[in-house]
Amino acid sequence: MRDRVFTSLPIVLAFLVAVPASAAADAGDCRNGSFSSQKTDFGLAVIKGASRAYLYDLDSCSNTSHCKKEGASHILSGDRVVTGRTRGNYVCVYFFRYGGSAGWVDKSRLRSLTIASRPARSSWFGRWSDEGNPTVRLSDKRGALHVVGEAYWPQPEPAKDLPPRHSGEIDGKLTLLGNRARHDQDYCKIDLALIGDILIASDNDMCGGTNVRFNGVYRRVRA
C-alpha cells in the first residue's frame, strides 16, 4: 500500500469536507494496495440480486466483457463491501474474503448502507489491524482520542530469504472531525475514517522506514 502524500492545501480541504462516494468520480486505479488512499469518502454497501457480482479490472483492460479479475473475482449476494470512488457505472469496492480484494463492481449491484457521520467516541476505541500488519490501538487519553501503532515491511517478524525488516511507530493525539480523524506529528501524517465497524487509514509515506505504510482497511481485533 503505497500511494498518496498529503502535501497540498486541496488535499487537506478534501479531508475536512467529505465528498459522498456516490457523487465522487476519480480516474485512479482500484487495487488492494491503493484502496485506502482514494480521494473520496468511503461507505458500506451489500451486494443485491440473486446472481454473483464480479470484480472487474478496468485499470488494465479496455473491454469490460473480458475484464473480470482472476482468482477471487466474484462476490455473493448479501456480501458486505466497502465502497470508494466511482467510474461511470462502476464503483471501486473492497471486501474481506480471501484476505481482502479490491475491484470495480457494477453500481446497479450495490445497496448502500447507512453509516454514522458522527460516531460516538467509544466507537473508535480498541485494537485494529489490517491482517496483522499494520496494527493500531485507539483510546481516550486525557479527554482526547489517542493512537498508538506499529507497521512493518515486509512483515512483523524477520524471516529467512526476505529483505531486512523495516518498521514504523506512531504515538500521539488524533484530531477528530465527524467520522474522520488525523494524526499529525512531526513529518508523519495519517488520516483515518471510521466506516461502521471498519477503520480505513492512509498516510503520507513518512511514518517509518523504507516501504513501511500504515495504509490499510482495518478491522477490530482482540487485544
Side-chain angles (χ1 to χ4, degrees), residues 68 82 95 120 150 169 173:
K68 291 180 182 178
V82 184
F95 77 120
E150 55 188 22
E169 297 181 352
K173 178 182 177 181

Side-chain angles (χ1 to χ4, degrees), residues 4 28 59 88 96 107 122 133 137 170 172 182 194 199 203 206:
R4 186 156 286 112
D59 309 307
F96 289 97
K107 67 171 62 173
S122 60
N133 178 40
R137 183 183 296 276
I170 54 173
R182 166 166 277 208
L194 185 61
L199 186 71
D203 70 21
M206 299 195 60

Side-chain angles (χ1 to χ4, degrees), residues 38-141:
Q38 298 178 52
K39 291 169 54 180
T40 186
D41 196 21
F42 297 97
L44 292 176
V46 294
I47 301 298
K48 63 182 182 179
S51 61
R52 295 175 173 179
Y54 288 94
L55 293 176
Y56 292 94
D57 181 6
L58 304 182
D59 309 307
S60 58
C61 177
S62 59
N63 187 339
T64 303
S65 63
H66 297 90
C67 292
K68 291 180 182 178
K69 298 188 76 170
E70 297 180 358
S73 62
H74 68 271
I75 316 175
L76 301 179
S77 179
D79 280 346
R80 190 178 64 152
V81 297
V82 184
T83 59
R85 59 165 62 94
T86 63
R87 179 188 291 183
N89 293 324
Y90 293 86
V91 178
C92 179
V93 307
Y94 182 99
F95 77 120
F96 289 97
R97 191 181 298 134
Y98 312 116
S101 296
W104 298 97
V105 168
D106 190 318
K107 67 171 62 173
S108 67
R109 300 301 309 274
L110 299 172
R111 177 172 59 84
S112 297
L113 298 175
T114 300
I115 61 172
S117 59
R118 293 186 175 275
R121 183 187 292 267
S122 60
S123 299
W124 295 84
F125 298 165
R127 185 169 176 260
W128 302 80
S129 185
D130 181 358
E131 299 295 324
N133 178 40
T135 298
V136 298
R137 183 183 296 276
L138 304 181
S139 63
D140 182 90
K141 187 173 183 179

Side-chain angles (χ1 to χ4, degrees), residues 142-216:
R142 291 190 285 272
L145 191 60
H146 191 88
V147 60
V148 175
E150 55 188 22
Y152 300 92
W153 183 88
Q155 62 183 32
E157 298 298 329
K160 184 180 179 180
D161 299 326
L162 286 178
R165 184 180 67 154
H166 302 285
S167 64
E169 297 181 352
I170 54 173
D171 186 345
K173 178 182 177 181
L174 287 169
T175 301
L176 188 61
L177 180 65
N179 71 333
R180 291 183 173 248
R182 166 166 277 208
H183 170 76
D184 188 346
Q185 185 172 353
D186 298 325
Y187 297 103
C188 174
K189 305 182 191 318
I190 302 175
D191 289 330
L192 302 174
L194 185 61
I195 310 300
D197 59 352
I198 295 169
L199 186 71
I200 299 175
S202 177
D203 70 21
N204 67 343
D205 200 19
M206 299 195 60
C207 299
T210 303
N211 293 328
V212 174
R213 302 300 303 268
F214 281 88
N215 288 5

